[in-house]
Structures are given as C-alpha cells and as structure tokens.
Amino acid sequence: MNGVLPNQQISAMIESGAIAADPAVTAAQIQPASLDLRLGNVAYRVRASFLAGQGAKVADRLAEFEMHRVDLSDGAVLEKGCVYVVPLMETLALSENVSAVANAKSSTGRLDLLTRTITDGGTEFDRIAPGYTGPLYAEICPRSFSVLVRPGMRLNQIRFGSGDATLDDDALRALHDKTPLVDGTAVIDEGLGFSVDLRLPGTSLVGYRAKPHTGVIDLDKIGHYAPADYWEEVHSTNGQIILDPGAFYILVSREAVTIPPAYAAEMAPYLAMVGEFRVHYAGFFDPGFGHAEAGGTGSRGVLEVRCHEAPFVLEHGQVVGRLVYEHMAQVPGQLYGADIASNYQGQGLKLSKHFRSG
C-alpha cells in the first residue's frame, strides 16, 4: 500500500540492510513514522551552502568548498553564521519504489539551527529519490545561537514513503468531519491552515525573540539554560506584534492540532507571495500528535518565524502555515507521546527542551 512507512517497516528496512549505520541504529532513533539521523565524527566548514548536483558526489564537492575540518570526537562548537557539512552515520540503499524526505527535528528548529540533508547526485535539499544508494550528509547553519555538538547527536530525521500518499482537500475535509483535526473551524486550502495566536488566555506573553549575542548551547543539556539568557519575551495587548527584519521568533498556533494514528503530516509554507516572513517549519508531525488516545487531546503547533526585508505586522488569527496530511502505509506500532518520551505532546507556547520551564 502507498503511504508513509511506520516504525515496524523502518525496522524491517534496517534488518534488510536498506538502512545501514556504523555504529548500528539504536531503538531510540526509530520514531512512529521517521528515523532520527546521527552526526558523524567530523564537520567540514564550507564557504557556502551547496547541493552535489546530478552525477556528482558530496565528497568531491567538499574538496571544492571546504575551508577546514572540525573534529567532533570530544565535542566542538559550530559557530553562529557559519555553514558546516557533517557526514551522518546512516547510509541508504532504497528500493525503486521507496523515496525519502528529511527534516529538522523539533528541538533543532526551535534553536533556529538550519539543518538540511544532502545526498550524492542531489538536486534538492531534504528530498531523496527512489532507489537512492549512498551516504547522507547534514548541512548545518546555526542562525541564532552557536551550539556544541558531539558525534551521535540527532539533529534531523528522515521519513520514508511509497507512492503519493498526500490527502487532497476533499479527503482532508472528509477526515476532519470524521475525526476533527483542529479544535475550531478547519481552514482547508492545499492542506490544513495554521494561524498564529497572539491573544493567549490570562497573559500578554505571546512569544519569544532570540537575543543577538548569547553564549553557546550544549545540545546534550536538557532543561539546563535560563530562557532570559537567550530570549526576549514578546508581549502584546492588542493581538498584534511587529516582526523585525532578520529576527527569529517562537510563537504558537491558535489551533490545537490532531494527527490521527493512520496519518502523518508535514508543515509547509503557506503563501510564498507574502514574502515578508516565513515560518521556518521544522516539521514532521507524527501519528498520534495531539491525539487523545496518545495523551495529546489537541496540541498546538509551535511556529518558528523569521522576518525578511521589511518590518511586518503579524496579527492574531493570521494564517502563517499549513499542514499537509499523508496516509500511513500501516498504523504504526507506536504513537507519538505514547510511552516514547515525546517532549512536545500537549504543548502550548514552548521553547526547546534545552531551556528551563516555569
């Protein structure tokens, strides 16, 4: 059956050698509808972001763009504003009917840590063609904070699928009628619309803005950092905020979202023509996200927003993104949040797991 491959099929791909790794893949990497990818032992500082291009290998292009190498074995800092390419521990040998899509993990996106996957012969970021055989690389560009990384850290993830499993708008409306996908009116137009919440109940706090000059964040330290050292609070009493050019914001969706167990979703840009800002969508949404049976009862989507050339007024209820839903090939053997230590089930406005809460 066409669809996104669930955890049990990912496990079968590991057993068959379609996914290989050194050291071997661990159970903790396998998510309900994706596989976490691990950083290798070296980072290449490069002059610019690049794609290998048809017929070319990333290793050959590295020789063209490399400035210096950083040994990650004992931990090393990836500097804000620089571009690095890191070979990943995992390699693929996909069958001709299986393709893959990669994306940054939620915590990676919330740190404004631009992380994309590149492959040999690749002409797009994060898109891996059916039948691809070869290595995987992470391109990492810290945008707001310098970060301390080590081999084995999981900054991005990969989702496998067969055929086109995307729900069109009619199918999405039918699914919403059967199992409500949001806790209000569903705005469905090439996916499920996501709007921004700038009127949170009982508070004027509506988001956070990254401070421009901060210390390093060690990605292994969970619940460690004081938010005030890295973020400015964003308050609003009138349901609007003005985004500053170049600034990075953490906001939250007005809608509480549900991903039923037989479906997965991905955040996509809403409207390229708007131009003034973009939601830096770190986003796979796994089966069970926000689902009552998995302890979710509707979870908000955290929005990672960067403003472009001109100051822009963002208003409460403005649509800023959309969720594209896909069929699972099978219902996963595990759901998001159900006994797998998911960090963001039932979330509201929330920074990454590296910061202290409360």
Side-chain angles (χ1 to χ4, degrees):
M1 177 183 170
N2 286 351
V4 176
L5 304 190
N7 62 296
Q8 59 267 35
Q9 287 181 273
I10 293 172
S11 296
M13 290 174 70
I14 295 166
E15 290 173 18
S16 73
I19 302 169
D22 183 20
V25 174
T26 67
Q29 290 175 251
I30 303 172
Q31 305 300 327
S34 62
L35 176 73
D36 292 348
L37 300 172
R38 297 170 297 174
L39 300 182
N41 296 315
V42 63
Y44 296 85
R45 167 83 165 91
V46 292
R47 289 185 284 127
S49 172
F50 67 89
L51 290 163
Q54 202 159 4
K57 294 184 181 298
V58 174
D60 295 334
R61 302 307 304 275
L62 276 173
E64 187 180 342
F65 295 112
E66 176 188 343
M67 296 171 68
H68 62 86
R69 301 180 191 189
V70 181
D71 184 356
L72 304 184
S73 301
D74 296 322
V77 173
L78 304 186
E79 299 280 356
K80 171 183 169 180
C82 299
V83 182
Y84 302 86
V85 173
V86 181
L88 298 171
M89 293 180 177
E90 289 72 29
T91 62
L92 300 180
L94 300 180
S95 64
E96 290 298 334
N97 65 337
V98 173
S99 61
V101 180
N103 217 320
K105 289 176 63 66
S106 294
S107 294
T108 308
R110 292 184 201 198
L111 291 176
D112 199 19
L113 194 55
L114 180 64
T115 303
R116 304 185 287 194
T117 302
I118 55 177
T119 60
D120 289 347
T123 56
E124 292 182 276
F125 291 107
D126 289 334
R127 306 288 169 190
I128 300 166
Y132 176 76
T133 296
L136 299 172
Y137 299 83
E139 180 202 270
I140 303 169
C141 179
R143 305 285 301 278
S144 290
F145 311 115
S146 296
V147 293
L148 179 64
V149 301
R150 299 177 183 84
M153 282 184 170
R154 292 142 42 189
L155 302 190
N156 56 345
Q157 56 195 341
I158 191 166
R159 182 175 274 183
F160 302 94
S162 179
D164 183 5
T166 304
L167 275 68
D168 63 22
D169 286 350
D170 288 340
L172 202 52
R173 289 187 191 96
L175 178 60
H176 177 67
D177 289 343
K178 178 182 169 188
T179 306
L181 303 177
V182 290
D183 59 342
T185 303
V187 177
I188 295 175
D189 181 10
E190 296 187 10
L192 179 69
F194 241 43
S195 64
V196 64
D197 194 341
L198 298 178
R199 294 187 184 276
L200 299 181
T203 180
S204 63
L205 177 67
V206 296
Y208 299 91
R209 169 181 155 152
K211 289 186 172 181
H213 309 291
T214 67
V216 170
I217 294 175
D218 183 338
L219 298 185
D220 271 340
K221 293 187 174 177
I222 309 303
H224 176 79
Y225 296 99
D229 291 340
Y230 294 83
W231 301 93
E232 298 169 356
E233 292 187 348
V234 178
H235 291 263
S236 175
T237 56
N238 63 353
Q240 61 179 222
I241 59 174
I242 297 177
L243 303 178
D244 287 323
F248 177 75
Y249 298 83
I250 295 291
L251 305 171
V252 69
S253 75
R254 191 172 54 156
E255 298 79 11
V257 178
T258 295
I259 313 293
Y263 299 87
E266 183 178 0
M267 185 74 126
Y270 181 66
L271 208 56
M273 290 86 81
V274 169
E276 268 72 1
F277 70 93
R278 100 165 239 181
V279 176
H280 170 88
Y281 47 102
F284 290 153
F285 286 64
D286 272 340
F289 180 86
H291 191 64
E293 291 175 24
T297 59
S299 294
R300 305 293 185 99
V302 166
L303 308 174
E304 299 134 15
V305 176
R306 179 173 290 282
C307 185
H308 292 325
E309 292 83 3
F312 186 77
V313 177
L314 198 59
E315 304 195 63
H316 177 73
Q318 187 166 345
V319 176
V320 294
R322 59 196 168 92
L323 273 181
V324 176
Y325 279 71
E326 296 180 283
H327 293 281
M328 296 295 298
Q330 294 175 272
V331 174
Q334 62 186 28
L335 297 178
Y336 186 90
D339 305 319
I340 62 168
S342 304
N343 286 294
Y344 304 118
Q345 185 71 297
Q347 71 182 355
L349 177 64
K350 188 176 171 72
L351 297 172
S352 78
K353 62 188 178 183
H354 307 92
F355 296 97
R356 298 199 289 267
S357 57

